[in-house]
Amino acid sequence: MMRRRKLPTETIIYKSLIEAIGRCGVPHRATQLLEMMTQDGLSIDSDTYYIFMKAFSHGDTDATHYADTISEISAYAPSAVSRKSSSGNTMSRRASFDSNATFGSKVTRNTSKFLGEINHAMTSSLEENKRAFRSAKSKNRLFKKTLTKEKDTIVTDAVRSHLDLSNCILEDLYPGLVLDANSDTCPKCSCVLSQDNIILGWKPCEVKDFSTTCPSCKHRFVPKFSVTSSLQSFKGSQGEGTPLFVDYLSPWVLLRQVRNIIDSNDDNETLSGVESIMDPNFREGNGINATLWWNIIVTFRRFKIPYTFLLQGDFPYQQLIMPTPEALDDA
């Protein structure tokens, strides 16, 4: 799906997929994911190999080997009994010893086979990773950041209709709404940064880094975007009727802040979790809550994700999103 939407792949996504298929009991898929990582030019680190081996520990490969061993050992039981009846206690002890030795050798052989399969998969993946890294380095792909343009983002007709509905409702709530994320300038060289320049300057997976990198002078600073509306009660940075300048947060920083709000349990608040974000009072003013809410809107719009559910609080007596048939049956 990410390749179809032309989104850049990340190592953390592959790690999550390998861990998930391990829990589902299909560890053979992990090898295919490692091959896909090498094809995408991603480096396989020690954490990835640890998750890879952990996926095999959840599978039933070793259990199958031991089951086969037990079934094969059971075939030797009649011969052991016949020896005992013909030769007495001596033959019984020897048969028991031979049986134990056979069992130990087969368990060792099957365990070695299982570990050999993992070692072969890791070795082959490592070699493919090295070849892919050298190939990607020669083509300068690993050192060139790419970003899918907003106009090139592929969405289905159903998603597009929900996205149009979200934009219409938001513009009804805030007449003359303008979200400008393409006019911020670098404080050092005065270079004007577009929204794509800001996104490319973020450090991936950094949840505490609020800054971006200027493509011209490489200076790091905290980017901003502006929100303006002709609504009289709209309160900007300098009061009512003024634009609201908001820190532009990366998705990783935004996700961390939103999770803190959802996980918070304040007894003094009537609403908590997602309901607090859906409350119209959450985005009023120019504080941190307004910063988070408008960042969610800008991020969802940039990557064409519907956000109708965030506006449900403005329509307490209307259902903006119809429930699924399963939910109606449960009710």
Side-chain angles (χ1 to χ4, degrees):
M1 186 64 182
M2 295 187 65
R3 291 180 177 177
R4 182 179 178 184
R5 299 187 64 175
K6 299 180 181 180
L7 297 176
T9 55
E10 296 180 0
T11 306
I12 189 174
I13 298 177
Y14 282 102
K15 290 180 181 179
S16 302
L17 290 175
I18 294 175
E19 185 177 5
I21 64 177
R23 293 178 179 178
C24 295
V26 284
H28 63 279
R29 296 285 187 182
T31 305
Q32 300 176 1
L33 288 176
L34 288 183
E35 295 177 355
M36 293 174 64
M37 289 184 66
T38 57
Q39 294 174 2
D40 291 337
L42 298 177
S43 176
I44 302 179
D45 53 12
S46 57
D47 293 337
T48 307
Y49 282 121
Y50 171 76
I51 297 176
F52 176 78
M53 295 196 63
K54 188 176 179 181
F56 275 89
S57 66
H58 287 289
D60 57 352
T61 306
D62 52 348
T64 304
H65 288 322
Y66 290 135
D68 294 338
T69 302
I70 294 175
S71 61
E72 293 175 6
I73 293 301
S74 61
Y76 291 90
S79 60
V81 174
S82 61
R83 292 178 194 176
K84 180 178 180 181
S85 59
S86 60
S87 302
N89 295 333
T90 303
M91 290 298 297
S92 175
R93 287 194 298 268
R94 182 174 299 176
S96 177
F97 176 79
D98 294 340
S99 177
N100 292 335
T102 305
F103 177 79
S105 62
K106 287 186 175 292
V107 170
T108 303
R109 183 166 58 253
N110 284 300
T111 304
S112 302
K113 180 180 179 181
F114 171 64
L115 295 178
E117 292 176 355
I118 295 181
N119 183 49
H120 174 71
M122 292 179 61
T123 304
S124 60
S125 299
L126 182 60
E127 293 299 327
E128 292 177 1
N129 180 56
K130 290 180 180 179
R131 289 195 296 268
F133 181 82
R134 289 193 294 266
S135 176
K137 185 177 180 181
S138 62
K139 297 179 181 179
N140 201 25
R141 288 186 302 174
L142 294 180
F143 309 97
K144 185 185 298 183
K145 292 185 178 180
T146 58
L147 180 67
T148 303
K149 300 294 183 181
E150 182 177 0
K151 62 180 181 179
D152 297 332
T153 304
I154 301 175
V155 294
T156 62
D157 294 337
V159 173
R160 185 179 294 105
S161 62
H162 279 285
L163 187 59
D164 294 339
L165 176 63
S166 303
N167 295 333
C168 291
I169 296 176
L170 183 62
E171 292 174 0
D172 289 339
L173 295 175
Y174 296 93
L177 178 67
V178 177
L179 299 174
D180 187 6
N182 294 284
S183 301
D184 199 17
T185 58
C186 174
K188 185 176 181 180
C189 66
S190 300
C191 176
V192 179
L193 275 70
S194 64
Q195 186 179 21
D196 291 345
N197 294 141
I198 295 175
I199 295 175
L200 289 173
W202 285 329
K203 290 184 177 180
C205 303
E206 291 292 337
V207 298
K208 296 182 180 180
D209 193 348
F210 291 72
S211 61
T212 186
T213 303
C214 174
S216 178
C217 65
K218 307 304 179 183
H219 175 68
R220 297 197 63 82
F221 66 98
V222 179
K224 295 181 180 294
F225 66 89
S226 63
V227 183
T228 57
S229 174
S230 58
L231 185 66
Q232 294 182 355
S233 60
F234 181 78
K235 187 176 181 181
S237 301
Q238 301 297 327
E240 294 184 358
T242 61
L244 175 64
F245 294 95
V246 180
D247 292 343
Y248 198 173
L249 307 179
S250 69
W252 302 278
V253 176
L254 180 61
L255 178 61
R256 179 173 180 266
Q257 299 296 330
V258 171
R259 279 180 174 174
N260 291 338
I261 295 176
I262 294 177
D263 297 338
S264 64
N265 294 319
D266 192 348
D267 298 335
N268 297 327
E269 295 182 358
T270 58
L271 298 177
S272 60
V274 179
E275 294 182 352
S276 63
I277 301 178
M278 297 167 57
D279 186 11
N281 297 324
F282 180 84
R283 58 180 182 267
E284 295 297 329
N286 50 17
I288 181 63
N289 290 344
T291 298
L292 295 178
W293 197 87
W294 287 111
N295 266 277
I296 295 175
I297 298 299
V298 170
T299 302
F300 278 33
R301 277 192 167 188
R302 171 60 180 82
F303 297 102
K304 295 184 179 181
I305 304 174
Y307 52 90
T308 312
F309 68 97
L310 292 174
L311 308 174
Q312 181 63 66
D314 293 274
F315 304 90
Y317 303 106
Q318 297 181 9
Q319 190 74 25
L320 297 182
I321 301 179
M322 297 303 296
T324 61
E326 292 78 6
L328 292 175
D329 294 339
D330 295 339

